[in-house]
Amino acid sequence: MTDAAERRARFQSMLEDDHPHLFDGGMGTELYARGVFINRSFDELNLTQADLVRSVHAEYVQSGAEIIETNTFGAARPKLEGFGLGDQVVEINRRGAEIAREAAGDRALVAGAIGPLGIRMEPFGPTAREEARAHFAEQAGALAEGGADLLVLETFGSVEELLEAVAGAREACDLPIVAQMTVGQDLRSAFGTDPEHWVPHLEEAGVDVLGVNCSVGPAGMLAAIERIRPLTDLPLSAMPNAGLPREVHGRKMYMASPEYMAKYAARLIRKGARFVGGCCGTTPEHTARMRDAVRSLHPARATHHAHPPAEDTPVHDPLPLETRSGLGASLAAGRIVTSVELLPPRGTMADELLERVRVLRDAGVDAVNVPDGPRAQMRMGVVAASALLEQVGGIEAVVHYTCRDRNLLGMLSELLGAHALGLRNLLLITGDPPKMGPYPDATAVFDIDSIGLTNLVSRLNHGIDPGGNSIGDPTSFVFGVGVNPGAVDLEEELHRFYWKVDAGAEYAITQPIFDAGQLMGFLEEVDRRDLHIPIIAGIWPLVSARNAEFLANEVPGVTIPEAILERMRAASQKGRDHAVAEGVAIAREIWDEVGPSLQGIQVSAPFGRVEVALQVLDGVLE
């Protein structure tokens, strides 16, 4: 068997010889076709069924693949931890490279396969760039140790994550790098980024080959190569799926025939691809036909920048806070903001909600806060309810917007729609999980959390989407976040609050406050950490001992001191009116103590009783 130096020279020759070269096809779909259940870690098979993995590799080598990829696409630590395999990262990757090396012999080179982490990276998730880079370095180092000749970083929808993968790989080893984005039929990445924007970034990062793989079939891949070829002098790679999957008797099937894939492999080469292969659904038979089709072809030469480079997307300065909404004007001027929280209706009729809203409007309340499925309850959609409230009720709404029910694309679409409807005020929160509500079997999305959502809205206010593309005129949202001064892990709460402020949050609303001393201590810590944004107190007037005990024991994030509970028990024994009066008195006492340190008050209307909320606000409203 040739040694590592000879294999490295062999790949370098492939980069320079102006001939097409052939990668293998899909590994995951082949293993699935051979009886491996979809709900297990395919990467773990490197340890438990090495012979099966080796047999797939061997068939691809026999079919003519010059480079085979290791069975490690999902073998980064975050993905393996989902299967309880986080402590076996190095072993799984090293063994994956060794198995491929054994199957390749002298006939093929081994490419260490690395895919996305499967977790959100900042600014749309909690994973720091340095942390992501370390995960990629760990995987790349193990693949190099196992005998990989090069690395293939593939199926990335985010160029930012791919750049961290390149950086991590460079830290761990000196293997050549093939970097591949995945694009949709519109030739944009999952974050909507055009090739004109991500190609220069990868070129600047110093990758050896760049290209595209997965997501689309051969026709879509051909369009992508035609788009990319004029943008760079680097060798290009193209590894399409065997068409788009179709459902046949409950199974996802890839329908493109070996002959069809071979025809398009030739077309890809004629349009400039130097390295071709297959992704999901491709088999050793596809590889054999592709081998026969590409033997005598020569890739088209690059004509670098035949089209002018893409102009930088304009990033707008956000509109002045005081011009965006009445809430924004009050925050900018330092005035005390008054708002009342009202739940959307359970059905389609909003008459009762609108009647309550008009009472609040006439009393001089600044805004109505509209929760988004609190405690995972089914209610009218928050955007629709808020639009009715503003357009018919005549008062500003503060839209509580959660991450629970929408993926990133859905959030982006709905936020743009909310802005078009005239809604301007947002409170961005992660949301209660469905298991808390009456539909525990409902699924949650949580594609991003409230920190990622804050970054998303901040970008919209700058006129760009998550992929850095222009949305035209910027949005003009006034956006705040939730904060819990009584969190069990206060340090973690402060840590998250720091990142919300860093992402651009313009105000915060607390969870319901029943302990003034606790809030004042929290404010002192916030001040010490220079987290200076306006904070609005959440005040919840209790109406009975039963209501107080429910909040204290069954509503996450709410803590009620025993002394308050005792006051409500004593008042409740005297009757309902006494209990309500005592709850209002407690709420006003808390506000009197904390109000001078805050910029607003949000009062919850218990069971929709706006008259109780207005009793709390008596003396606060001008």
Side-chain angles (χ1 to χ4, degrees), residues 166-350:
V166 172
R170 291 288 189 222
E171 289 178 5
C173 64
D174 62 350
L175 295 181
I177 293 176
V178 178
Q180 297 183 146
M181 292 284 289
T182 187
V183 298
Q185 295 290 351
D186 61 357
L187 306 187
R188 291 182 169 185
S189 73
F191 280 81
T193 309
D194 291 319
E196 286 78 4
H197 287 89
W198 57 258
V199 166
H201 285 297
L202 293 176
E203 194 172 43
E204 185 178 350
V207 302
D208 298 276
V209 179
L210 66 81
V212 281
N213 78 294
C214 203
S215 292
V216 296
M221 197 67 66
L222 180 63
I225 289 297
E226 289 175 328
R227 179 92 164 261
I228 294 168
R229 179 68 284 172
L231 303 176
T232 180
D233 293 319
L234 286 176
L236 300 185
S237 61
M239 302 181 195
N241 290 340
L244 298 177
R246 300 180 188 177
E247 189 163 317
V248 180
H249 300 303
R251 296 185 65 186
K252 297 295 185 183
M253 305 293 287
Y254 291 86
M255 308 301 289
S257 69
E259 292 77 15
Y260 182 81
M261 289 288 289
K263 180 191 300 183
Y264 266 90
R267 291 176 178 175
L268 286 165
I269 291 166
R270 292 191 185 101
K271 291 297 183 179
R274 287 276 304 283
F275 295 89
V276 294
C279 203
C280 301
T282 54
T283 67
E285 185 179 358
H286 287 87
T287 301
R289 294 300 179 93
M290 292 167 73
R291 173 200 61 198
D292 295 338
V294 305
R295 277 178 172 170
S296 60
L297 298 177
H298 290 274
R301 292 185 177 275
T303 52
H304 191 41
H305 294 317
H307 302 292
E311 296 180 1
D312 291 336
T313 301
V315 178
H316 302 271
D317 291 330
L319 295 175
L321 183 61
E322 62 270 17
T323 67
R324 299 183 220 160
S325 70
L327 173 64
S330 294
L331 292 172
R335 294 192 295 268
I336 293 295
V337 174
T338 58
S339 66
V340 173
E341 181 177 292
L342 289 175
L343 299 177
R346 291 186 182 276
T348 61
M349 301 303 293

Side-chain angles (χ1 to χ4, degrees), residues 505 530 578:
D530 294 324
H578 285 278

Side-chain angles (χ1 to χ4, degrees), residues 123 450-451 454-455 458-459 479 498-505:
S450 56
I451 298 173
T454 305
N455 276 290
S458 178
R459 289 192 174 211
F479 58 102
Y498 168 85
W499 285 111
K500 292 174 184 179
V501 174
D502 182 74

Side-chain angles (χ1 to χ4, degrees), residues 15-134:
L15 294 174
E16 299 170 354
D17 65 11
D18 201 31
H19 291 289
H21 297 283
L22 185 63
F23 271 75
D24 58 3
M27 171 60 76
T29 46
E30 274 298 288
L31 292 171
Y32 175 69
R34 299 176 193 215
V36 179
F37 290 119
I38 195 69
N39 61 348
R40 68 170 300 180
S41 168
F42 283 19
D43 311 278
E44 185 190 16
L45 299 175
N46 295 336
L47 305 182
T48 60
Q49 297 186 53
D51 288 344
L52 175 62
V53 176
R54 189 183 297 106
S55 68
V56 176
H57 286 317
E59 287 191 29
Y60 278 121
V61 174
Q62 184 65 31
S63 297
E66 298 172 83
I67 304 171
I68 59 172
E69 294 189 34
T70 58
N71 177 42
T72 55
F73 173 77
R77 182 174 292 273
K79 283 188 174 179
L80 290 178
E81 284 177 343
F83 295 96
L85 301 169
D87 60 344
Q88 296 179 271
V89 176
V90 172
E91 186 180 4
I92 287 173
N93 281 280
R94 183 177 57 230
R95 187 64 185 127
E98 290 171 349
I99 293 168
R101 176 83 275 137
E102 293 160 6
D106 295 334
R107 300 177 61 183
L109 300 180
V110 171
I114 297 177
L117 297 177
I119 52 178
R120 291 283 185 198
M121 193 178 73
E122 61 177 327
F124 301 113
T127 307
R129 293 177 184 275
E130 294 78 7
E131 184 182 359
R133 193 180 310 150

